[in-house]
Amino acid sequence: MSDVTMSSKSTQPLHSINKCGAEETAACCCVDVGTIMDNTDCTASYSRVFETEAQAKETLQALTERARGVESEPCEINSRIEKVEGGVELNIDFTFSCQAETMIFQLGLR
């Protein structure tokens, strides 16, 4: 049995294409979206130190516009700008109505 394993639920051998876990389709190891995205993580956080407050505010504005472009319902945006050693720290939490929007927003920043 070089490329065959036994299933814990059955005595039938599983071929290597079936070596999947968590609600997958054996033919392609596809995962049910609900297994990965269950809407429990709808917040994306951003933190960075800038040299000036103007740079921090410019970035806040740009990220807010990006979030507004992704949202289907209003995204809750909480931001804080604080003076720190070496500049100004910008912290933002973007809370979307669903996890898919959060992921789209995060991927768009890469």
Side-chain angles (χ1 to χ4, degrees), residues 5-82:
T5 59
M6 299 302 282
S7 167
S8 60
K9 295 181 183 177
S10 158
T11 58
Q12 298 297 318
L14 295 174
H15 299 289
S16 62
I17 196 167
N18 295 344
K19 290 182 185 177
C20 303
E23 306 298 321
E24 293 141 11
T25 304
C28 67
C29 289
C30 300
V31 178
D32 177 55
V33 170
T35 304
I36 299 170
M37 295 177 15
D38 58 3
N39 274 339
T40 58
D41 186 13
C42 297
T43 301
S45 298
Y46 177 89
S47 182
R48 182 173 168 197
V49 176
F50 294 90
E51 290 182 18
T52 67
E53 187 172 343
Q55 292 171 325
K57 287 183 177 182
E58 183 179 312
T59 298
L60 173 59
Q61 179 63 35
L63 292 176
T64 298
E65 288 175 16
R66 281 186 166 216
R68 298 292 179 223
V70 170
E71 67 187 4
S72 62
E73 295 179 21
C75 173
E76 182 181 324
I77 301 172
N78 295 308
S79 64
R80 298 164 307 285
I81 297 177
E82 302 170 350

Side-chain angles (χ1 to χ4, degrees), residues 83-108:
K83 291 185 180 185
V84 295
E85 185 176 324
V88 177
E89 183 175 39
L90 171 62
N91 292 292
I92 318 168
D93 291 323
F94 300 90
T95 303
F96 292 89
S97 63
C98 68
Q99 190 173 3
E101 291 175 353
T102 306
M103 292 177 69
I104 292 166
F105 176 73
Q106 290 172 322
L107 290 171

